[in-house]
């Protein structure tokens, strides 16, 4: 047997009121599926000559990265002509901050090069959270 229209309307109004109160309190009925990812990488200078030193850095994450142990990131510079630097290991802080100097190999050809960091939470962006952009930054190698 169906409830009277007045009762159905009252239930609907009550559910809207509860949802509004929940939202106003800052709580949600569902858990957030947003992944905590490190802060954006920066490279300085953005234009650099082969043989010079580049500073790669990342600021603190805006959330808990959830490191279960002390992470080690691996940094590699890839040129547009398929050259690559030797891997460099970097230990970020608990909040994801790090700064490291990278020597640009003298053999690198001029053009766009990409500094890629692996071992970060970007590597763990599987099916559960959708795709993630690679943890990287581009620089220009000058001639």
């Amino acid at each position: 047997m169906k409830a009277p229209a007045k009762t159905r309307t009252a239930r609907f109004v009550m559910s809207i009121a509860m949802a509004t109160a929940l939202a106003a309190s800052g709580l949600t009925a569902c858990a957030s599926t947003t992944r905590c990812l490190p802060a954006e990488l920066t490279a300085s200078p953005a234009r650099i000559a082969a043989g010079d030193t580049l500073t790669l850095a990342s600021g603190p994450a805006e959330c808990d990265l959830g490191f279960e142990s002390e992470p080690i990131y691996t940094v590699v510079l890839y040129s547009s002509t398929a050259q690559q630097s030797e891997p460099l290991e970097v230990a970020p802080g608990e909040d994801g901050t790090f700064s490291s100097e990278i020597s640009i190999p003298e053999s690198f050809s001029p053009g766009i090069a990409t500094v890629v960091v692996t071992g970060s939470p970007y590597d763990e962006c599987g099916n559960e959270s959708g795709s993630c952009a690679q943890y990287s930054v581009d620089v220009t190698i000058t001639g």
Side-chain angles (χ1 to χ4, degrees):
M1 173 149 93
K2 235 179 176 183
K6 192 173 190 178
T7 303
R8 287 193 312 265
T9 301
R11 286 183 189 156
F12 176 74
V13 170
M14 181 62 112
S15 63
I16 296 296
M18 289 173 61
T20 302
L22 198 58
S25 71
L27 300 174
T28 61
C30 300
S32 173
T33 58
T34 303
R35 292 265 314 166
C36 179
L37 297 172
E40 182 178 353
L41 288 175
T42 61
S44 179
R47 295 180 57 82
I48 188 166
D52 286 349
T53 302
L54 174 76
T55 301
L56 179 69
S58 181
E62 294 182 8
C63 49
D64 181 4
L65 291 169
F67 293 138
E68 293 179 15
S69 61
E70 293 182 24
I72 298 293
Y73 292 172
T74 302
V75 178
V76 178
L77 177 67
Y78 296 94
S79 76
S80 58
T81 58
Q83 297 166 294
Q84 73 180 57
S85 67
E86 291 294 318
L88 172 69
E89 291 187 344
V90 176
E94 285 184 18
D95 62 358
T97 58
F98 73 89
S99 179
S100 184
E101 292 188 343
I102 303 166
S103 295
I104 307 300
E106 290 187 21
S107 62
F108 261 43
S109 301
I112 300 296
T114 304
V115 182
V116 177
V117 177
T118 56
S120 79
Y122 275 101
D123 296 351
E124 301 165 9
C125 293
N127 294 333
E128 71 186 51
S129 61
S131 65
C132 289
Q134 184 178 39
Y135 197 31
S136 63
V137 65
D138 289 342
V139 295
T140 302
I141 308 297
T142 59

